[in-house]
Amino acid sequence: MDDYPLLNIFWTMMWLFLWILWFFLLFRIFGDLFRDDSVGGWGKAGWAIFVILLPFLGVLVYLIVRGKGMGQREMQMRADAEQDFRSYVQKTAAEGGGGPTRSHADELAKLAELKSSGAINEAEYEKAKAKVLA
């Protein structure tokens, strides 16, 4: 332990933290860049090359030029996902879903329809009705 003093451990931890932070920042920038539909293919390729060839300058310029829009695009993406989820839940609830949300009346009506069409006989109808009402 004498060969590696405490201050060097702190410096190493700081550099490790900054290195991990740098990769998070790069992933965030590339994720924003490739999810943005307003930038064309050549624009995405240009930004990617700029960030890869001149990483510090490229990231800094990207954050200055497109930083405000990053937050807006993220919020819009989350709002769209929330709206999609809500519409899916509403559609599924309206359809009945075939699960426990279906009422006993719906099940009994379906059984009566099957019985009247001849798909099931009287004994099968009574057995299924007893199962629904149980």
Side-chain angles (χ1 to χ4, degrees):
M1 194 72 173
D2 290 335
D3 295 342
Y4 205 68
L6 184 62
L7 188 59
N8 285 356
I9 292 173
F10 289 137
W11 276 109
T12 302
M13 293 300 290
M14 184 190 75
W15 284 112
L16 180 65
F17 174 75
L18 290 174
W19 186 68
I20 292 170
L21 184 69
W22 174 254
F23 279 106
F24 273 110
L25 185 61
L26 282 177
F27 287 132
R28 175 72 188 233
I29 286 175
F30 277 109
D32 177 67
L33 179 63
F34 289 110
R35 270 184 275 172
D36 187 10
D37 293 333
S38 66
V39 178
W42 287 106
K44 289 178 183 183
W47 274 113
I49 290 170
F50 187 43
V51 169
I52 289 171
L53 292 180
L54 300 169
F56 294 113
L57 182 64
V59 166
L60 186 64
V61 170
Y62 187 88
L63 290 175
I64 290 169
V65 172
R66 297 178 47 88
K68 184 176 181 182
M70 286 176 71
Q72 293 170 347
R73 285 185 293 277
E74 180 74 21
M75 288 180 58
Q76 183 62 43
M77 184 184 72
R78 290 180 191 262
D80 291 344
E82 177 72 20
Q83 181 59 36
D84 290 344
F85 174 74
R86 287 184 185 274
S87 66
Y88 170 76
V89 168
Q90 289 173 350
K91 184 183 96 175
T92 304
E95 291 174 355
T101 58
R102 292 184 65 132
S103 69
H104 295 301
D106 292 338
E107 291 291 328
L108 290 173
K110 185 177 176 183
L111 285 173
E113 184 181 319
L114 288 172
K115 180 184 165 200
S116 65
S117 69
I120 60 173
N121 61 25
E122 182 68 30
E124 292 171 329
Y125 171 75
E126 290 299 326
K127 183 178 177 184
K129 184 172 121 177
K131 186 176 180 182
V132 168
L133 296 175

